[in-house]
Every structure is written in structure tokens, then in C-alpha cells.
Amino acid sequence: MPHTRFTLLCFAALGALAAACGQPQAQEAQAAREHATVALRRSIDDTPSVQASVAAPDDTVAAPPSGAGTTGFVAEGTRRKPQRAAQAARPVQPAGRVRPEPKLNRRAFDDTINAVTARSSQLRAARLQAWGDTPVEPTEPFDPLGIRAGSFLLKPWFESGIGYDTNPLAANTNPKPSLYQQFASGLSAQSDWSRHALAADIRGSYTQYDTVSGNNRPEVDAILRGRIDVSDRTRYALEGHFQLTTESAGNPDAPTDVVRPPPIVTTGGSVGFAHRWNRLDVAAAAGLDHVVYENGELLNGETLDRSDRNYDQPSVRLRTGYELRPGVTPFVAAEFDSREFANEIDSSGYQRASTGMEIRAGTSFELSRLLTGEASLGWIARNYVDPRLADISGLLVDASLVWVASGLTTVRFTAVTTINETSFEDTTGVLERILALRIDHAFRRWLIGTIRLGWEFDDYGQSGRRDNRFVVGAQASVKLARELWLTGEVRQETLDSNEPVNDYTANIMMVGLRLQR
């Protein structure tokens, strides 16, 4: 109850402050209008012809008699031409008046609210860019046109590919190569309403190996976003997301004696609010994620219980930015969350409940459309309830930049820092850092070449394990038509650990076909 009264008092104080600030501006506007009225009366003669010229829309009338005022008229040879009454009554700018409020940068405003509500989906997208299959970027004249469905534009697509992996199980010795097939499909939908917005992005894939069926993996990622425009400067945003994935081979947490990799299901959402005062953007969001580690089927027919890894993660995110100039908006952002496990004590006897914090400062870029995105530095930390588990903290580096080096070449840079859960031995968690560089070059409008470099560093805390993961890849995309693209990719994935028994190298080749509308 005291918190409610305090909030109401704060809003009342803000309202009184806004009214007090608006009263002098109203008085100033009234004085300006009176001054303009007097000037208008002095500028015209009382003859019927001049009075008619002020009231009529036609400007071709005789000049006023000699000696009449000239305010509100412009010279035209030996004749004078009266301006329209609306132009003559323009308020005079008093000395020292505050400059008018700058025009709203809608793109920057949208970026602000998207950044505060879509943090988890941005992290997934960054990891996909570094380690997943390289997405093909649309280019004119091969952009998909989509399908119009009422006030929505739908863009469905389907991909099918065949590949070869020299080490799909990420084995240190005696790797077992295998052919594989990958099927993927998705749908994006975007409203084109004059106010408010609703967008959806749904994609899923299935990878099937010929000789190592125990490594078959499904993937699903779905995001639904909505925006409510209360006014030009006040917006609400809502997001819901669903993700189904598995722990990849080579991950210390991935079980090795199961029939197939057990899935991990994440469901959640967030509600956000953003408002702009002049050049100042303020946004806040509250979110909740529910993470479930499904049980696995062991090779001996028994069930692997992983329920002790299930947890809920409520979070609060804040972000404030000030637009110094169009396209440059420095900001500060903070996120606070807690992870509350379904089982208070896990199978190893530890309490893994924890609280997390991220604080960072940076700036967004939109410089002549040549450099867009944002970059920030800060600090990330996670504190655990169990005193036997060491806390984790470190430098936070985040970036998502796109540089249009020329009309043919585009460079993308991504940096991500996160702290993820792990069941590896007695380790508290894993601090992950990801850096990714991607270069796209158009040899022709229908032929796009891509080079991809990625690095990930995994720090497993007090266990002493440190892993460096590298990916180097190249891709060619042949766009036969808007609806049909061909792709080919080769890449090498390497794990270099301070425990050499975990090292591995995998060479992957794939050709695919993409259908879209």
C-alpha cells in the first residue's frame, strides 16, 4: 500500500510539473497572437478593395493607397501584392524562445523498444549467425514479394539440403563421418497498419544423419511481437517466444549414452513500455522465461531424468538513450534477473538458484545508412545461493553492426556475452563470449559470395576447463529467380580446449535449394 501511494504521488507531481511548465508557454503564445493581430490591422487600409483582398483567395488586387502600412505585403514593380491573411498573421518569434521540439526519429524509437523487449531473441539470433547455417540475404531484384492476406504480408519459405560431415559426434579420436539431410521451413508475417504493429517469425528444421541416427536434431524457433502506439511518443510492446533445441555434440552437458539428443524447450514473453521526451528515450520491460530439459531415453532402455535442470527466469530490463544527432544515440541499459529451479537441490546436491545482473553503456549507429547497429561495453555477473558455488562475473561486450562497405560488399560484426547454466561436474555456470564476422559480396546481382569467421570462448569456472571454438566458412548463393535460390557451403568447426582430450575438428559441406514466395 505505501508503494502504491508513493507511485500516485510521483505521477501527481509529474502532472503538476508538466502543467507549470505549460502555463508560461500558453501565456507566451497568447501574447504572440495579440501582437500579430495588431500588426495585421496596421498593415491594411480600410478601403473595400483591400479588405476584399485579405478575405479573398485571389492575390491579384490593387495596391493600397499611398501612406498605408506595408507589413504583410511584398513589392512587385510599381504595384504591391498582399499576402494571405494566414501568412500575415504568423506569430512573431520572441527573443530567447526555446527551439521547437525536433522531429521524432521513428526508426530510433522502434530500435529502443525492440532492444529492451527482445533481448533473449537477439542473443539467439547472434549465436545462429556465428554457428548456425549462414542465412541468405535478399537482394534486389530477387526480394520475395510475399503473399497479401488482408492487412498482412506473408513470406513463406522452404529449404532442403544434403551434406557431408566428417565428425558429426565431435569425437576426439576415430571420428565417424556421415551424410545428412536437412529440411527447414518458415513463415514471416508483418502488418501494414497505419498505427500499431504485429509481426511473427516462425522457423523450424530437422537434421537427419545416415550413419549416426542418434545425432538427429529438431529445431524450432517462433517469435510473435506486437506494438501498441498510444501516441507518437508513447508505445507499448509485447513479445512471446518459443524455442525447441538440443545440446549439440561436443557440449560437456550433452548426454552421450542416449538414443537421441533430448530436447530443451523454452517458452516465455515480455511486456515493454517506451516514451520519448524531446530527444530522450526511456524504455522498460518485464519478462519471464520457462526452461524445461526433457528426459532422455538411454541406450539400455532406462530414462534419464533431467528435471533438476528446469528453471524459471523472471527479468527486468531498463534502457535510456539520448539522440545527439539523427542516427547517433548513446544509451545505458541494465538487466536484472533470477533463476528459480523446480528442484531446490539438484542431483549433485547443490542449490543452483541465482541472481544475475547486466549493466552496459554504448551507442547506436545509423550514419548515412553506411554503418548501422549498436555497440556497448559493461559488466555481467551472477551470484549463487549455494555458498559452495563460486560467483561468476566478467567484462560484457555486445555489438551488432552492419557496414555497407560498397554497393557490392556488406560486412556484419556480432559480439555477445552471456552466462549459461551447466551440469558439468561441480561447475557453477559457463561464461560464454562469441565474436562473429561475416562478409557478403555480390559478384553479380544473382551471385552472392559469403565468408564467415566465428570464435567462442567458454569459461567453466572453478572446474578449470577453458574451450576455444572456431568456425571458418564460405558460401555461394545463386539466385535463379525470386522464388528459387541455390546455395552451397563449406565450413570447418574446431574445438581447442586446455584439456586436449576434448579437442575435435569437423569439416562440413552442404548444397541446398530454397523455395520462397
Side-chain angles (χ1 to χ4, degrees), residues 203-265:
R203 59 186 62 205
S205 66
Y206 186 79
T207 305
Q208 177 178 327
Y209 291 87
D210 289 352
T211 58
V212 285
S213 58
N215 200 39
N216 295 347
R217 297 193 305 272
E219 300 278 346
V220 177
D221 201 346
I223 301 175
L224 178 64
R225 294 193 181 99
R227 191 190 73 232
I228 302 174
D229 300 334
V230 179
S231 68
D232 285 345
R233 300 181 181 275
T234 303
R235 295 181 177 179
Y236 289 93
L238 305 110
E239 178 192 302
H241 52 259
F242 172 86
Q243 183 186 35
L244 185 149
T245 185
T246 61
E247 290 165 325
S248 60
N251 189 321
D253 291 306
T256 58
D257 52 352
V258 292
V259 175
R260 63 184 60 86
I264 305 170
V265 179

Side-chain angles (χ1 to χ4, degrees), residues 483-494:
E483 297 81 11
L484 180 62
W485 296 356
L486 297 177
T487 60
E489 182 178 13
V490 294
R491 70 178 186 269
Q492 182 182 76
E493 298 179 359
T494 304

Side-chain angles (χ1 to χ4, degrees), residues 79-350:
R79 298 169 58 87
R80 298 184 184 274
K81 184 177 180 180
Q83 293 181 340
R84 299 182 188 274
Q87 184 175 358
R90 183 181 299 168
V92 178
Q93 293 284 347
R97 185 173 181 179
V98 180
R99 291 189 307 172
E101 185 175 336
K103 185 178 180 180
L104 176 63
N105 187 338
R106 296 184 182 277
R107 182 188 297 273
F109 196 34
D110 289 343
D111 290 345
T112 297
I113 196 167
N114 289 339
V116 78
T117 56
R119 175 66 174 162
S120 57
S121 59
Q122 290 171 349
L123 294 177
R124 292 198 301 271
R127 186 176 182 87
L128 178 65
Q129 179 174 329
W131 288 94
D133 295 330
T134 305
V136 182
E137 296 294 328
T139 56
E140 284 291 352
F142 298 98
D143 287 348
L145 298 177
I147 302 172
R148 178 64 60 179
S151 60
F152 284 87
L153 184 63
L154 309 180
K155 294 184 178 182
W157 57 269
F158 172 79
E159 290 182 353
S160 177
I162 183 171
Y164 180 78
D165 192 335
T166 62
N167 191 4
L169 296 179
N172 177 258
T173 58
N174 301 321
K176 187 177 182 180
S178 175
L179 290 170
Y180 69 91
Q181 295 83 40
Q182 187 175 76
F183 306 94
S185 183
L187 172 69
S188 64
Q190 176 67 58
S191 66
D192 61 357
W193 305 329
S194 59
R195 296 182 67 242
H196 316 304
L198 183 63
D201 189 6
I202 305 171
R203 59 186 62 205
S205 66
Y206 186 79
T207 305
Q208 177 178 327
Y209 291 87
D210 289 352
T211 58
V212 285
S213 58
N215 200 39
N216 295 347
R217 297 193 305 272
E219 300 278 346
V220 177
D221 201 346
I223 301 175
L224 178 64
R225 294 193 181 99
R227 191 190 73 232
I228 302 174
D229 300 334
V230 179
S231 68
D232 285 345
R233 300 181 181 275
T234 303
R235 295 181 177 179
Y236 289 93
L238 305 110
E239 178 192 302
H241 52 259
F242 172 86
Q243 183 186 35
L244 185 149
T245 185
T246 61
E247 290 165 325
S248 60
N251 189 321
D253 291 306
T256 58
D257 52 352
V258 292
V259 175
R260 63 184 60 86
I264 305 170
V265 179
T266 302
T267 55
S270 62
V271 178
F273 165 83
H275 184 77
R276 165 166 281 206
W277 287 275
N278 201 346
R279 295 180 180 271
L280 180 67
D281 289 334
V282 177
L288 175 64
D289 283 343
H290 178 62
V291 183
V292 176
Y293 288 78
E294 299 286 353
N295 296 335
E297 181 183 356
L298 297 174
L299 295 176
N300 59 11
E302 298 180 358
T303 299
L304 174 63
D305 185 7
R306 304 204 303 170
S307 60
D308 61 333
R309 301 190 63 186
N310 300 342
Y311 66 89
D312 293 324
Q313 179 172 322
S315 62
V316 176
R317 295 183 287 274
L318 307 171
R319 181 181 171 115
T320 300
Y322 186 83
E323 188 178 21
L324 290 180
R325 50 171 293 185
V328 178
T329 305
F331 66 88
V332 292
E335 178 177 351
F336 305 93
D337 68 73
S338 65
R339 292 176 181 169
E340 303 169 0
F341 284 77
N343 297 342
E344 184 176 355
I345 299 177
D346 67 3
S347 58
S348 300
Y350 290 95

Side-chain angles (χ1 to χ4, degrees), residues 129 134-135 137 410-412 436-440 450-452:
Q129 179 174 329
T134 305
E137 296 294 328
T410 303
V411 180
R412 292 173 173 82
L437 180 68
R438 170 179 167 178
I439 303 174
D440 294 315
T450 301
I451 295 177
R452 184 156 58 98

